[in-house]
Amino acid sequence: MKLCFANPSTGQQKTIEIDDERRTRIFYEKRMAQEVAIDALGDEFKGYVVRITGGNDKQGFPLKQGVLVPHRVRLLLAKGHSCYRPRKDGERKRKSVRGCIVGADVRALALVVVKQGENDIPGLTDTVLPKRLGPKRATKIRRFFNLEKSDDVRKFVIRREVVSKKEGAKPYTKAPKIQRLVTPERLQRRRRLRSLKKTKSEKQKIQVADYKVLVAKRLAEAKTKSAALKTKKNAARKTAA
């Protein structure tokens, strides 16, 4: 079985292949998203706890979360489902997927280190890789650097150095455009939109009041006209009699 480890705290990844079924049996009957202590894999893994995040069987069919069987099934999948990417709008397709319960037919497992053990594993826990891209959203930058609401987020954006392909050109830095950043311009735009909405609402109220007055006037005119016509008919009947 091929075990693909990922360590979020260091940013490192490592793949280890273990052919001994007695060592990999600790993953059998375990589901995706379940945490497993991997002391049985060897002395270097003592104290480590990992979470199963995915995998493939021997034919390459992926493990699908929520399918509680230890074998392959054919499911009708649509947009939004894992293990399927629709090519057309509204397309659905029946595809073979492997259940999320790990068995002997699983060839590769994706694992995330939840708890680190006593010993460092070379290529997984020994060095911390620098983050190439930092957070982009304003609230996430504040959370990442533990900032207050009064702090300027723009000063804490992680910049990365870019080396130009042209010869002799100086390297320059790039930074992401901060999303959901509340600036004075944005506040002014909000105030303007609020003011426009208020003006529109007041204008509509005036128009509704004018319309009601006009309707009442037209009804009164129609009533007067109807009464005059009735009086005229009655007078004509009397003269005829």
Side-chain angles (χ1 to χ4, degrees):
M1 188 185 284
K2 196 180 281 186
L3 304 175
C4 307
F5 291 93
N7 192 356
S9 58
T10 61
Q12 289 183 305
Q13 295 176 347
K14 189 173 185 178
T15 303
I16 300 167
E17 195 154 356
I18 299 173
D19 296 326
D20 189 359
E21 194 181 334
R22 286 176 297 178
R23 290 164 68 189
T24 57
R25 203 176 289 163
I26 53 170
F27 297 108
Y28 291 1
E29 302 302 321
K30 299 286 190 298
R31 298 180 191 174
M32 277 175 67
Q34 203 166 341
E35 293 182 1
V36 185
I38 55 171
D39 299 349
L41 292 180
D43 293 335
E44 67 269 24
F45 295 102
K46 196 174 181 182
Y48 279 83
V49 177
V50 295
R51 186 172 63 248
I52 303 168
T53 57
N56 295 85
D57 66 3
K58 288 177 181 176
Q59 284 74 39
F61 291 94
L63 271 66
K64 182 168 171 61
Q65 179 66 292
V67 183
L68 303 177
V69 290
H71 52 80
R72 267 205 307 271
V73 290
R74 282 176 64 79
L75 299 176
L76 187 65
L77 304 177
K79 186 182 178 182
H81 291 153
S82 59
C83 308
Y84 175 63
R85 182 169 63 86
R87 267 64 173 183
K88 296 176 185 175
D89 288 343
E91 185 185 48
R92 296 188 302 167
K93 203 169 187 180
R94 195 169 291 279
K95 290 184 77 71
S96 291
V97 290
R98 173 66 169 67
C100 70
I101 300 171
V102 181
D105 61 329
V106 172
R107 173 65 183 148
L109 267 183
L111 308 167
V112 170
V113 177
V114 175
K115 185 187 172 187
Q116 195 167 325
E118 300 166 5
N119 304 321
D120 276 341
I121 299 169
L124 189 64
T125 59
D126 52 351
T127 55
V128 178
L129 297 177
K131 272 199 166 188
R132 181 178 166 270
L133 298 174
K136 193 175 182 182
R137 195 183 295 177
T139 51
K140 288 187 178 180
I141 294 169
R142 283 196 187 96
R143 202 178 305 138
F144 190 76
F145 290 104
N146 198 17
L147 303 176
E148 297 292 329
K149 203 169 185 181
S150 57
D151 293 328
D152 190 3
V153 180
R154 288 169 289 190
K155 293 176 183 176
F156 293 88
V157 181
I158 295 174
R159 304 187 73 87
R160 62 187 178 91
E161 194 174 276
V162 181
V163 180
S164 180
K165 291 179 182 178
K166 294 178 182 178
E167 289 184 10
K170 290 181 181 179
Y172 58 95
T173 58
K174 265 189 175 182
K177 184 186 175 186
I178 302 169
Q179 301 297 313
R180 303 188 189 179
L181 181 65
V182 180
T183 58
E185 290 83 7
R186 184 171 175 78
L187 293 172
Q188 188 180 356
R189 198 179 302 122
R190 278 186 186 173
R191 283 196 297 270
R192 183 174 170 275
L193 289 171
R194 209 176 290 125
S195 173
L196 286 171
K197 195 176 178 182
K198 193 178 178 183
T199 309
K200 192 178 178 182
S201 176
E202 287 172 357
K203 191 179 177 183
Q204 280 179 341
K205 282 178 184 176
I206 293 165
Q207 285 176 342
V208 167
D210 292 345
Y211 176 73
K212 283 180 178 177
V213 169
L214 186 65
V215 166
K217 187 182 175 184
R218 294 281 165 81
L219 283 171
E221 284 175 0
K223 216 177 213 181
T224 310
K225 194 175 179 182
S226 176
L229 197 65
K230 203 173 183 181
T231 310
K232 194 177 178 183
K233 278 182 182 178
N234 288 338
R237 277 178 194 164
K238 281 178 183 177
T239 51

